[in-house]
Amino acid sequence: MTPSFSDPIGLEVRWDRLAAATDEAASTMLRTAFSTIIRESNDYTVVLMDRQGRTMAESRAGIPGFAALMSSLGAVVLDRFPAREWQDGDCVITNDPWIATGHLPDIAMITPIFHRGVLVGFAGTAAHSPDIGGTPSMGATDLISEGILIPPLRLFRAGGVEQGVKDLLLANVRLADQLWGDLEAQAAAHAVCRRRAREFLDDFGEPDFERFATEVHALADAALRAAIRDLPDGVYRAGVDADGVEGHPTHIECAVTVSGDRIGIDYAGSSAQVPYSTNSTLNYTRAYSMYPLKILLDPATRTNWGSYQAITVTAPAGTIVNPTFPAPVVARHLTGHLLSCAIYQALAPVLPDRVIADSGGAPALRVRFAGVDDDGRPFSQMLFANAGMGASRDKDGLSTTAFPTNSGSGSVEAIEVASPLRFVRKELRADSGGRGRRRGGLGQDIEVHNPTRRPVQMVLLGDRERHPALGLAGGEPGATAYAVLDTGERLSLKSISQLAPGSSVVISFPGGGGFGAPEEREPHLAVADELSGYVRPPAVDREQTGEESHR
């Protein structure tokens, strides 16, 4: 029997099974990936799409913002490679930031699904590669400096490798074995998706996904529209400021328009694009606008293409949230992650019980270490670690938890195995959460040591040195971020430097904003904070620790 709204249990069973297929495929990719970025930090997505390239099911781990991009990517790929040209075993890849996930290190892959000789859908993945060539720093002034740009092209044709494409790609990166290993891991995930999709159609007696996709798209769309209708019509505005780069502070101006069952988000008035890597392409801006709204308004319904049809996102061309080619974009998250703060600040007057204060991890702070060990082996590792989330009206913010991305921090032991680096300490950062009736989540302090006889290159990509995560409803801001060498030298969070042999660096991740007036916090919770070490007693001389100057 074909599932329908009159058979919600049958539809849920089918939808859950297809979602489970994407989760199984994601597990395959995690277990076969070469780099720690995928294995440990979950910087990927896996989706199943219908014949039009619209997502039907999305993996429940990985980066949800990526999943929001896959339908628009599918439309572009199908425009370049029409359905009649696909063969079983084909594979198209791209990392074009304007059509994929916003910067060159993320490689998206799409493969067709054939059932009984007929094209019925597509599998899609996107994953952060360990290396894409170029200059891994804020020093790039255009896209071409940041690495190799891959337009949509076939990596596999009818199951065979396009050797020329492979050779060209691997000749332009430093870690060819890791990159190719991760691409093969993505391909393995696609194989799982294809197999499970065919089994799904056989088991439920369906010739294709068309009727199923129509149902789940309509259901997701209806659920979000119903949530939007509960909001009062109006235009809600907020502005968010961030450090930016070298005399170019970032300003995000956000207007959220609620009209019936639709929401429009417009970023007119935001900063102009800059000759630095903090520009966020419009598709990335859309993804990190739609995802925060989805989890705010309709967190229970699974996401697919239908989840995003009631939301429109616009921004003037030439702005930092809609730059024109060939703007540098490798650190686009330093702008894109801020959008959730602007949206939630704008909607706080009408949804005070559901929004959260600014998160310290919006934007995320990333650190890339690269060098050669004492045996002459090159290495490159990205440190994914998380700051504190903002508090809500009813709950303290989560400590060391990513938002609006949900990338994992991974295991520092895995990084130690894959590189000569040593982690001296990794601990919660006292007093980093903004005070309030509900306290902001804590950041963390991470100390990294270089035990080798050679310097290690260190690239810092972060923000919130001067602009902390703001509180809401009288809550105080969280602590700002900083990095300091064991010599006492402060490092810019947008810099490239050397970690000398035998030296260490301490990276302090920021805290989330508080919610509500601090004097309203219940006494027993204040005592518990002190006993747990989350908040130091007033008698502690913060000037001695140097902490006060970093708030």
Side-chain angles (χ1 to χ4, degrees):
M1 180 182 295
T2 301
S4 68
F5 289 135
S6 62
D7 179 22
I9 295 176
L11 182 62
E12 176 66 19
V13 168
R14 288 160 171 80
W15 202 355
D16 188 69
R17 176 160 170 180
L18 216 57
T22 63
D23 290 342
E24 180 186 355
S27 295
T28 298
M29 181 159 58
L30 290 174
R31 291 177 180 275
T32 56
F34 278 42
S35 74
T36 58
I37 295 178
I38 296 176
R39 276 201 328 264
E40 298 291 329
S41 301
N42 301 324
D43 200 341
Y44 69 88
T45 193
V46 181
V47 301
L48 277 166
M49 300 181 281
D50 64 15
R51 203 156 42 201
Q52 289 74 46
R54 303 173 301 185
T55 60
M56 301 180 294
E58 304 171 356
S59 59
R60 286 167 278 197
I63 308 296
F66 283 7
L69 292 162
M70 295 303 289
S71 295
S72 60
L73 171 63
V76 172
V77 169
L78 282 172
D79 184 61
R80 305 268 182 102
F81 300 92
R84 65 181 180 277
E85 297 181 3
W86 290 86
Q87 299 179 31
D88 201 4
D90 281 1
C91 167
V92 168
I93 63 170
T94 183
N95 68 347
D96 186 328
W98 276 262
I99 61 176
T101 63
H103 71 173
L104 298 178
D106 291 334
I107 298 179
M109 180 181 290
I110 291 181
T111 59
I113 300 172
F114 284 84
H115 180 60
R116 299 177 182 174
V118 177
L119 178 65
V120 295
F122 294 88
T125 61
H128 195 298
S129 64
D131 181 30
I132 203 65
T135 303
S137 75
M138 297 297 296
T141 58
D142 61 31
L143 182 73
I144 306 308
S145 304
E146 295 183 326
I148 183 170
L149 171 62
I150 310 167
L153 47 78
R154 291 189 180 96
L155 183 61
F156 295 92
R157 180 63 164 166
V161 176
E162 294 281 14
Q163 193 61 43
V165 174
K166 176 184 176 182
D167 291 345
L168 179 63
L169 179 59
L170 299 187
N172 282 278
V173 299
R174 304 171 185 86
L175 303 174
D177 290 344
Q178 285 194 38
L179 175 61
W180 185 248
D182 282 1
L183 288 173
E184 289 189 312
Q186 286 182 250
H190 285 239
V192 172
C193 284
R194 293 197 301 273
R195 183 170 67 252
R196 296 306 186 204
R198 291 166 184 154
E199 292 173 356
F200 176 97
L201 295 176
D202 282 337
D203 290 350
F204 292 110
E206 293 286 344
D208 53 40
F209 288 108
E210 295 310 292
R211 286 185 289 184
F212 171 81
T214 298
E215 293 276 2
V216 295
H217 290 156
L219 179 62
D221 182 41
L224 186 61
R225 289 181 188 275
I228 295 172
R229 282 195 294 269
D230 288 339
L231 301 177
D233 285 0
V235 181
Y236 307 98
R237 301 180 183 276
V240 171
D241 293 302
D243 301 344
V245 186
E246 296 186 16
H248 296 270
T250 297
H251 177 73
I252 306 296
E253 189 67 28
C254 174
V256 181
T257 301
V258 179
S259 178
D261 64 354
R262 297 192 60 83
I263 282 185
I265 302 176
D266 183 61
Y267 293 108
S270 296
S271 298
Q273 71 181 67
V274 293
Y276 304 101
S277 298
T278 54
N279 300 292
S280 172
T281 59
L282 185 58
N283 55 331
Y284 192 79
T285 293
R286 285 184 177 132
Y288 276 91
S289 301
M290 294 188 295
Y291 170 66
L293 269 179
K294 172 67 172 69
I295 61 174
L296 180 70
L297 300 175
D298 179 33
T301 308
R302 289 196 186 94
T303 53
N304 60 38
W305 175 80
S307 304
Y308 315 117
Q309 300 315 297
I311 305 171
T312 58
V313 180
T314 55
T319 58
I320 200 167
V321 288
N322 184 15
T324 57
F325 182 89
V329 292
V330 73
R332 87 289 197 225
H333 71 283
L334 296 183
T335 295
H337 287 182
L338 290 167
L339 304 176
S340 62
C341 301
I343 293 168
Y344 287 178
Q345 294 275 351
L347 291 176
V350 290
L351 290 173
D353 58 331
R354 297 166 75 175
V355 297
I356 63 172
D358 292 1
S359 293
L365 168 56
R366 303 291 185 231
V367 189
R368 180 182 180 272
F369 297 94
V372 178
D373 66 20
D374 286 339
D375 293 323
R377 294 186 296 261
F379 69 91
S380 177
Q381 291 293 316
M382 183 74 80
L383 174 62
F384 280 67
N386 299 319
M389 278 185 66
S392 68
R393 187 191 67 175
D394 299 319
K395 293 185 178 180
D396 291 344
L398 298 175
S399 296
T400 62
T401 301
F403 187 82
T405 179
N406 70 335
S407 58
S409 60
S411 163
V412 295
E413 290 81 5
I415 296 179
E416 289 181 331
V417 169
S419 75
L421 300 172
R422 292 293 174 263
F423 286 79
V424 178
R425 60 189 172 102
K426 187 174 189 288
E427 59 192 18
L428 291 174
R429 182 181 170 194
D431 285 336
S432 57
R435 296 195 311 149
R437 185 169 59 84
R438 295 294 172 256
R439 174 182 45 75
L442 302 184
Q444 59 183 312
D445 290 320
I446 300 178
E447 184 175 352
V448 185
H449 177 65
N450 173 18
T452 74
R453 298 188 297 272
R454 309 180 192 217
V456 171
Q457 183 190 71
M458 183 168 54
V459 179
L460 290 160
L461 295 174
D463 205 277
R464 296 210 181 279
E465 287 183 90
R466 295 179 297 279
H467 291 83
L470 299 179
L472 276 176
E476 295 185 356
T480 54
Y482 66 97
V484 60
L485 295 171
D486 51 10
T487 61
E489 178 187 355
R490 285 279 295 270
L491 300 174
S492 167
L493 294 186
K494 297 180 181 70
S495 66
I496 180 169
S497 59
Q498 299 290 322
L499 186 59
S503 294
S504 298
V505 62
V506 175
I507 305 146
S508 293
F509 290 74
F515 197 108
E519 58 270 19
E520 295 176 0
R521 189 163 180 80
E522 296 87 335
H524 72 279
L525 294 179
V527 171
D529 284 342
E530 291 188 13
L531 291 176
S532 301
Y534 300 159
V535 174
R536 287 175 295 198
V540 173
D541 185 358
R542 293 194 177 116
E543 289 297 333
Q544 291 181 0
T545 67
E547 191 73 20
E548 187 68 26
S549 62
H550 304 306
R551 289 195 63 86

